[in-house]
Amino acid sequence: HCRSAEPDVTDSVKPLLEVDDLSVSFRTRSGVVHALEHVSFHVQPREMIGIVGESGSGKSVTAYSLMGLTSNPGRLIGGNLYFNGHHINDMTEREMRKMRGNEVSIIFQDPMTSLNPVHTVGEQVAEVLDLHKKYKTKEEIEARVDEILRLVGLPPDRKKEFPHQF
């Protein structure tokens, strides 16, 4: 179980993310492996949590489940996942693709496997924004890239750097 340190005034607001009694298993040659059993936590809007644990404890499986990326041989065997009013359990792959990148994203641990080393970070963020067609002009995309970098505490001029420079 993961809980935030202290409740605050946002507790009366519906959670942005609800993970209730999540259980995921994987069928292997050696039998069924229960990767997650009865994981529950809620995240309020503007709240930040960290999920920590040993290697193999289920951190990535939890994240993949939230993104609807638990594929064969993995199976969601119990629990409910809600994000921003969406019941993830009931969403089609098409609905999940629409939500991914627009409302929720995952950043993998190793930037060398997640980001292309021959393109700048700014180019790669802009490419994702362009794919979702939310912004019409290069100027709008560029402004959003700058805003995204500021939101994560980076000056916008770092967009010209390559992943290995981070």
Side-chain angles (χ1 to χ4, degrees), residues 112-137:
M112 296 309 286
T113 60
S114 301
L115 297 171
N116 189 326
V118 300
H119 295 287
T120 67
V121 169
E123 289 170 337
Q124 294 179 71
V125 172
E127 179 184 19
V128 171
L129 295 172
D130 191 41
L131 282 172
H132 290 283
K133 304 294 183 203
K134 189 174 180 179
Y135 304 94
K136 293 176 178 56
T137 67

